[in-house]
Amino acid sequence: TGRTVRLMTGCHGGVHQAQISPGGQYAAIADHTGIVYLWDLGTGKKITEFRPNLSENRAGLPATNSMIHALRFSACGSALAAGGDDCCVRIWDVRKESTDGKPVIREPTKLFPTKQTMILDLYFTKRNLLLAAGKFVTPVPLAPHAQI
């Protein structure tokens, strides 16, 4: 009909990725700062903020500046995986919700760091096996001060 049904606001860094859960209950949206927001599509309310574990950033980037390139719900819809510039795959349990109606801020349930592979895509199989595809990133050495 071309009519807006739900307008979800609250991403601080602009939307970069979006996924709808298999059952259609949730929308997960990743912004440019590396935070993933979970909305209940029935009510339109933001229920959770999934944040990276600040102590586990493998790429040496500030965790709030690690862009997420891949965002996927598991086949059963109970887990959400994200990966991006910081060379980690993070998994959150989306079944844990707030009891007081305010969005909950949570760190990952599970973290899978790579050596130097930026995560570009994620895929859950029907049996809930997670496949990740990425790009090997070689550190660029800083040149000593050039003398002219």
Side-chain angles (χ1 to χ4, degrees):
T1 64
R3 196 171 54 114
T4 301
V5 177
R6 293 272 186 259
L7 181 62
M8 292 170 255
T9 60
C11 284
H12 304 292
V15 174
H16 187 67
Q17 287 286 325
Q19 286 287 314
I20 304 296
S21 66
Q25 182 179 3
Y26 301 116
I29 298 173
D31 70 11
H32 291 282
T33 66
I35 298 173
V36 178
Y37 303 91
L38 189 70
W39 273 275
D40 182 317
L41 290 176
T43 64
K45 292 184 179 182
K46 180 168 53 172
I47 57 175
T48 309
E49 286 185 20
F50 298 117
R51 296 183 179 243
N53 185 332
L54 302 179
S55 63
E56 294 291 340
N57 191 328
R58 302 285 291 185
L61 298 170
T64 56
N65 289 332
S66 298
M67 187 176 293
I68 293 175
H69 297 289
L71 189 63
R72 290 285 181 267
F73 279 96
S74 63
C76 66
S78 65
L80 178 67
D85 286 346
D86 66 353
C87 302
C88 290
V89 174
R90 290 174 175 81
I91 299 178
W92 292 276
D93 184 350
V94 298
R95 296 172 296 182
K96 299 177 183 175
E97 294 184 20
S98 169
T99 56
D100 62 2
K102 296 178 185 174
V104 176
I105 297 173
R106 293 202 332 246
E107 289 189 349
T109 305
K110 202 74 171 158
L111 176 80
F112 299 97
T114 68
K115 291 189 183 212
Q116 290 178 308
T117 304
M118 180 188 310
I119 307 302
L120 298 176
D121 199 7
L122 294 168
Y123 177 78
F124 274 100
T125 68
K126 291 179 183 178
R127 298 176 71 188
N128 277 338
L129 299 174
L130 179 62
L131 305 172
K135 171 183 163 183
F136 184 75
V137 181
T138 55
V140 178
L142 296 176
H145 293 219
Q147 295 181 356
I148 300 177

